[in-house]
Amino acid sequence: MPTVAPLDLNGHCVAARWIAGIPHFALADGTVHRLDDGHKAVEAHDGLLAAAPAGDGKMLLTAGEDGRVCAVTPEGDLRELASIGRKWVTALAGGPQGAVAFASGRTAYVRFADGRLRDFAHPRSVEGVAFAPKGMRIGVARYNGATLHFPAADGTPVDLTWDGAHTGITFSPDGNFVVTTMQENALHGWKLADGKHMRMSGYPAKVKSWSWAAKGRWLATSGAPAAIVWPFSGKDGPMGKAPVELGTRADTMVTAVACHPTDEFVAIGFSDGMVLAGRIADQKEVLLRRPGKGAITALDWDGEGRRVAFGSEAGDCGVIDVAG
């Protein structure tokens, strides 16, 4: 039976991440908490808006309302990576070779490991950034589509167009597809080889959490009373295929998802604080945590796939040991 080690914090948990085997919890008030031989904390920002692991997984990247991008080291030290003045940094991603992408207003930035900063201006606000799985390439979610940039070179950007506001972006692990979340209750995707569109709609709410399965054959998403898991194993991704639904609860919304690092099952967090695990192959479910305070806003498996870090909008955080 799974066991839960609770960490009761005050405030909205923006991200829960395992960094160098240590669970970190980044709160909207700007504090990053971690469980490392006891509860420790560091003040990272005056208002935190985004957090993500560095590309090598060894540091937690953070960004906030103070225009700063920082890194929390495994020792718990805070290192400032970039500062762009009193502007909100609203999106963040770690990439290869120590690179970091972030966004503020209409501009996307890439900071290289040597401290160099490149900026990419867009006509409308940049809502999301992501690195491609191979090479130095970033994707930017924006109004009416997405743009792909090559920050280490001066190549021409690639524009992917679809009407509407695109709020987040991800590349499939094999690099063949780009998928965005939208302001409407839908996802949109492009097959990069030929530009084919993929429309993934029917959600009753906005998709605010997503996660790729270990081999990239599935994309799990929130935004419904079940985790909606789209198949990406074929050459055309989910086009013409129905998704798998995991953890269906008639009146309770899924608010966070995290795929296991090696096996094809998904940790699923709900609006009432419950956490389940669901196996994609046969939809079998295991209860990991009973309902608690606030909707689950963050989930992450450790590297061994034995423990799940979770956080809620009310600061109800902790670690689930799946093996008990």
Side-chain angles (χ1 to χ4, degrees):
M1 182 69 188
T3 59
V4 180
L7 178 63
D8 194 15
L9 304 174
N10 290 317
H12 181 103
C13 183
V14 174
R17 290 288 189 177
W18 292 90
I19 304 295
I22 298 165
H24 289 61
F25 305 88
L27 267 58
D29 66 4
T31 310
V32 177
H33 302 260
R34 69 190 195 285
L35 293 174
D36 181 16
D37 294 326
H39 175 201
K40 300 171 184 176
V42 60
E43 296 286 339
H45 298 274
D46 181 11
L48 183 143
L49 297 169
D56 61 5
K58 294 180 180 178
M59 295 190 294
L60 182 71
L61 306 172
T62 63
E65 298 175 16
D66 51 12
R68 297 163 61 239
V69 176
C70 298
V72 180
T73 70
E75 298 75 34
D77 298 323
L78 188 71
R79 184 185 307 167
E80 184 179 288
L81 301 180
S83 179
I84 56 170
R86 295 295 298 187
K87 300 175 181 177
W88 285 23
V89 180
T90 53
L92 182 65
Q97 303 162 39
V100 178
F102 59 98
S104 179
R106 299 179 181 181
T107 306
Y109 300 85
V110 173
R111 181 199 184 272
F112 295 92
D114 61 6
R116 285 184 302 126
L117 201 64
R118 279 201 72 181
D119 59 88
F120 303 89
H122 296 80
R124 303 283 287 271
S125 65
V126 175
E127 300 294 338
V129 291
F131 279 93
K134 299 168 188 166
M136 186 66 75
R137 180 168 58 160
I138 64 165
V140 170
R142 54 169 174 79
Y143 194 76
N144 286 345
T147 302
L148 309 183
H149 297 279
F150 297 86
D154 292 320
T156 304
V158 176
D159 284 323
L160 304 171
T161 302
W162 186 263
D163 288 351
H166 298 255
T167 56
I169 186 166
T170 183
F171 288 84
S172 61
D174 61 10
N176 291 337
F177 303 96
V178 168
V179 183
T180 59
T181 50
M182 297 193 67
Q183 189 66 32
E184 59 189 90
N185 302 342
L187 303 179
H188 194 79
W190 293 265
K191 183 181 174 185
L192 293 181
D194 56 16
K196 277 185 184 174
H197 292 276
M198 297 174 288
R199 184 90 174 125
M200 290 161 273
S201 57
Y203 291 90
K206 291 181 180 61
V207 177
K208 295 185 177 180
S209 176
W210 51 11
S211 179
W212 289 97
K215 299 180 180 67
R217 302 192 326 140
W218 303 91
L219 176 63
T221 64
S222 68
I228 306 300
V229 187
W230 296 95
F232 273 82
S233 53
K235 63 182 178 64
D236 290 329
M239 286 187 280
K241 299 174 185 173
V244 172
E245 297 188 11
L246 294 180
T248 302
R249 296 174 68 198
D251 55 353
T252 308
M253 295 294 283
V254 170
T255 52
V257 292
C259 288
H260 190 273
T262 56
D263 297 321
E264 291 185 341
F265 56 88
V266 187
I268 306 164
F270 293 87
S271 58
D272 63 357
M274 182 186 281
V275 182
L276 296 175
R279 189 161 57 195
I280 297 171
D282 58 6
Q283 292 88 63
K284 185 179 178 182
E285 299 166 11
V286 175
L287 177 66
L288 299 184
R289 178 184 187 252
R290 299 187 186 281
K293 289 188 300 181
I296 298 295
T297 50
L299 287 172
D300 192 35
W301 290 91
D302 70 357
E304 297 175 351
R306 289 196 48 196
R307 296 174 294 170
V308 178
F310 67 91
S312 86
E313 65 183 7
D316 196 8
C317 303
V319 173
I320 303 165
D321 188 330
V322 175

